[in-house]
Amino acid sequence: MSAQKDMQDLLRLLTTGRNKMPMLAAMGRVKALQSANLHNSIADIAAIDLPTLSTAISSDEKTAKALLVACKSHLKSSSSSSGSGTTGNKRSASDTLLSPTNTSGLSNKRSKSAYELSHEPQTPAELEASLALPQPSADEEAIEKCVVYTNRAPLVLVFAERLLRYTMPEQPLSGRLSLAQAVVSANSRSKAVSIGIEKGKGAEEEGWGAGQPKVRILGREVSVLKRSGYEWKEEEGEGEGQEGLSAVGDVGGQSTATSELTLKEEDSGAGDGDGDGVGESQAPAATSSAWTVSSPVTVKQSTFIARSTTITSPSDATSALQTLLAQNKDLREASHNISAWRVQGSHGILESSNDDGESGGGRHILGLLQADNVVGVLLVVTRWYGGVMLGTDRWRIMSMVSRDALSQRLRIAGTVGQDALWGLDLEGMKKANSVVAGGGSGMPIHRPEGARAYILKAFASPEPPAGGGKKKISGAALDREREANLGLLLGALDMVFKSWEGHVSREELDRKAWAWYVQVRPDVAGGVAGWGGKGEVKLSDILKLRRASE
């Protein structure tokens, strides 16, 4: 984990400050250092002599010297900010720039970055607790009656945040808010260009996001930053919407918490639909962080779940499948555990499949791997037969859960697994020229605190008609009203997403969610006249999006 963090720190140093370079070029420089058998930590590079560094990065002495000076300056700045040598009112530069508020009463020499997270010590539990949203309402009658007055951007943000609870359950609240804000930012940029408010290429078109991993949310790809070392899990017994979190340790540099949380939320969610989901006796147990697991899909009492894991050889496939079944009694008792795998051999692709009693099933899911040219993966589809023949419909369901499990491996381009993420602010990076607080100690992200503050005040009640005689209320009362409305909105969206959970794949749920947003968003004028315009949203219309009971 430390080596990974060292590399990320170095990438941040290379892509920020006066001598910044595009991310793709920075990654090339890191690769050159690796090829020269030089370590990737800033401290190690600072200790290298100039000729060796210049040769390693295949560059002139001036470029190598700039990198050397930057590494030494970073170490000096870090040392002064963490030491105890400051006294009285004198504060280090990083203290002044990075503190959430300038409590010393001294003016900052440079403005604090609007994107850098606070460097104040804060545990995952403390961060998530500070971002708590209003409790999602379960009062369907109150939701039916509620009408909110808002503009489109905060509604997109709330849609995205709630959606991520079901499509990326490994993400904590802080990650969901940051990623949701990234979606809003990307949509706003596209809209501004389309109506002529902004012109020219966006940050991503100019290559600012090159080399960064991406995730798809509401049909929109957004660049993300892996939060190395951020581990969390949801404590049992917490109510809906309560992010009860605690830090957990690392196991070989990989977190087991994300995998366990994903499985736990899927298991509990499966029984929250229409009563035909996976029950406790069929719920899959947590296996290991190596497996990705689809949402369960139940049709006519038959339940399907797919899993995928990385393998490098035929023996890996055999061993992984045997271990999976040995550790999961529920899977051993299932009707079928259909499997298929493909690996790269010395003379071409090696592949195989097994029907496990479901005639043609192995060949079908192997075809999915072949069609997408997926190599190095074992795919297992488990079926609990419900007593009703599904005919050819079973192929469609197998494909759905298989693509769900596989998409989780491919959802994040790069090697960030299912770690907690930040949404990167590429436009902010471009406008600020990548200069962030602390001389390059962090990349510009969409702050979850800003997203939370935005939606807490975004959902007012409509103004009464003229002559309605409504009394004026205080600002504090208005805030309480808006927060109550947000709780009702969160509750409505949870009811919608829960009704579909287990019946469609996560990819399909993401696609549906954007169409649902378009269907209920406030009606505003077109073009420039409607930019930032507000309108009414009836929560009863959102409830109509729920899946009809069979």
Side-chain angles (χ1 to χ4, degrees), residues 323-343:
T323 301
L324 176 68
L325 296 178
Q327 293 179 349
N328 291 269
K329 179 182 177 182
D330 301 314
L331 300 189
R332 294 196 302 273
E333 295 177 349
S335 307
H336 311 286
N337 284 291
I338 309 149
S339 60
W341 56 263
R342 303 182 80 218
V343 295

Side-chain angles (χ1 to χ4, degrees), residues 2 4-5 30-31 87-88 119 126 154 176 198 226 238 275 277 285 314 366 372 418 456 529:
S2 60
Q4 191 176 56
K5 186 176 186 303
V30 169
K31 187 174 181 181
T87 59
H119 283 214
E126 290 170 341
R176 298 198 304 269
E198 293 187 20
K226 178 182 175 182
E238 294 293 334
L366 177 60
D372 292 334
Q418 290 189 329
L456 283 177

Side-chain angles (χ1 to χ4, degrees), residues 136-147 487-496 499 538-547 549:
S137 176
D139 187 343
E140 188 170 337
E141 184 178 353
I143 293 173
E144 284 275 3
K145 295 177 180 178
C146 182
V147 178
L488 292 167
L489 174 58
L490 294 173
L493 290 172
D494 274 340
M495 290 178 185
V496 172
S499 74
K538 296 179 180 179
L539 301 196
S540 58
D541 289 339
I542 293 179
L543 290 181
K544 292 175 184 177
L545 302 172
R546 287 178 293 182
R547 180 178 178 273
S549 300

Side-chain angles (χ1 to χ4, degrees), residues 73-154:
S73 298
H74 177 86
L75 292 177
K76 184 177 179 181
S77 174
S78 298
S79 176
S80 63
S81 64
S82 61
S84 57
T86 56
T87 59
N89 287 332
K90 188 177 177 68
R91 309 172 73 200
S92 68
S94 59
D95 285 339
T96 303
L97 287 168
L98 296 178
S99 60
T101 57
N102 188 2
T103 56
S104 68
L106 301 175
S107 61
N108 291 336
K109 291 183 179 179
R110 276 178 268 167
S111 60
K112 172 181 173 290
S113 168
Y115 312 102
E116 184 74 7
L117 279 178
S118 168
H119 283 214
E120 292 291 318
Q122 198 172 31
T123 67
E126 290 170 341
L127 174 59
E128 304 306 327
S130 71
L131 297 169
L133 296 175
Q135 178 78 7
S137 176
D139 187 343
E140 188 170 337
E141 184 178 353
I143 293 173
E144 284 275 3
K145 295 177 180 178
C146 182
V147 178
V148 297
Y149 186 69
T150 186
N151 57 322
R152 292 179 174 182

Side-chain angles (χ1 to χ4, degrees), residues 311-356:
I311 58 171
T312 58
S313 66
S315 61
D316 274 357
T318 302
S319 175
L321 182 57
Q322 289 175 346
T323 301
L324 176 68
L325 296 178
Q327 293 179 349
N328 291 269
K329 179 182 177 182
D330 301 314
L331 300 189
R332 294 196 302 273
E333 295 177 349
S335 307
H336 311 286
N337 284 291
I338 309 149
S339 60
W341 56 263
R342 303 182 80 218
V343 295
Q344 181 66 53
S346 55
H347 300 292
I349 300 295
L350 302 177
E351 58 187 26
S352 183
S353 64
N354 189 306
D355 292 343
D356 192 31

Side-chain angles (χ1 to χ4, degrees), residues 4-310:
Q4 191 176 56
K5 186 176 186 303
D6 286 341
M7 184 173 71
Q8 289 189 340
D9 288 342
L10 179 58
L11 282 172
R12 291 186 183 113
L13 183 71
L14 291 171
T15 55
T16 58
R18 258 185 334 183
N19 300 310
K20 70 168 183 66
M21 60 176 61
M23 177 58 72
L24 202 57
M27 294 176 71
R29 183 147 296 177
V30 169
K31 187 174 181 181
L33 291 167
Q34 289 176 329
S35 300
N37 294 320
L38 298 177
H39 296 293
N40 283 328
S41 76
I42 295 174
D44 288 335
I45 295 174
I48 300 172
D49 60 86
L50 187 58
T52 301
L53 182 59
S54 180
T55 302
I57 62 176
S58 303
S59 184
D60 56 72
E61 186 173 302
K62 182 178 179 181
T63 301
K65 185 175 181 180
L67 175 57
L68 195 61
V69 169
C71 289
K72 290 180 177 180
S73 298
H74 177 86
L75 292 177
K76 184 177 179 181
S77 174
S78 298
S79 176
S80 63
S81 64
S82 61
S84 57
T86 56
T87 59
N89 287 332
K90 188 177 177 68
R91 309 172 73 200
S92 68
S94 59
D95 285 339
T96 303
L97 287 168
L98 296 178
S99 60
T101 57
N102 188 2
T103 56
S104 68
L106 301 175
S107 61
N108 291 336
K109 291 183 179 179
R110 276 178 268 167
S111 60
K112 172 181 173 290
S113 168
Y115 312 102
E116 184 74 7
L117 279 178
S118 168
H119 283 214
E120 292 291 318
Q122 198 172 31
T123 67
E126 290 170 341
L127 174 59
E128 304 306 327
S130 71
L131 297 169
L133 296 175
Q135 178 78 7
S137 176
D139 187 343
E140 188 170 337
E141 184 178 353
I143 293 173
E144 284 275 3
K145 295 177 180 178
C146 182
V147 178
V148 297
Y149 186 69
T150 186
N151 57 322
R152 292 179 174 182
L155 186 62
V156 173
L157 202 158
V158 175
F159 253 86
E161 188 279 326
R162 287 291 96 177
L163 171 68
L164 287 169
R165 284 182 60 86
Y166 302 88
T167 58
M168 297 179 68
E170 70 275 8
Q171 292 304 312
L173 176 59
S174 57
R176 298 198 304 269
L177 287 169
S178 178
L179 293 170
Q181 183 61 60
V183 174
V184 172
S185 178
N187 285 348
S188 296
R189 163 71 191 176
S190 297
K191 181 66 174 179
V193 171
S194 70
I195 62 178
I197 292 179
E198 293 187 20
K199 296 181 180 179
K201 292 183 178 180
E204 186 170 10
E205 294 176 285
E206 293 183 358
W208 287 89
Q212 289 298 129
K214 294 182 179 181
V215 297
R216 184 179 293 276
I217 307 167
L218 289 175
R220 167 80 66 174
E221 286 192 349
V222 296
S223 297
V224 299
L225 177 68
K226 178 182 175 182
R227 297 161 67 177
S228 180
Y230 190 89
E231 309 292 349
W232 69 289
K233 64 181 180 180
E234 189 170 23
E235 296 177 346
E236 293 187 19
E238 294 293 334
E240 181 68 31
Q242 298 298 312
E243 304 290 338
L245 307 172
S246 61
V248 297
D250 296 327
V251 180
Q254 291 278 347
S255 163
T256 58
T258 53
S259 174
E260 292 166 357
L261 177 67
T262 300
L263 289 168
K264 182 174 70 175
E265 290 197 357
E266 285 173 352
D267 295 350
S268 62
D272 290 337
D274 299 316
D276 56 353
V278 180
E280 290 185 5
S281 62
Q282 294 178 319
T287 54
S288 77
S289 59
W291 291 91
T292 58
V293 186
S294 75
S295 297
V297 174
T298 300
V299 175
K300 296 180 180 177
Q301 288 76 55
S302 280
T303 296
F304 296 77
I305 295 178
R307 289 170 169 79
S308 68
T309 190
T310 300

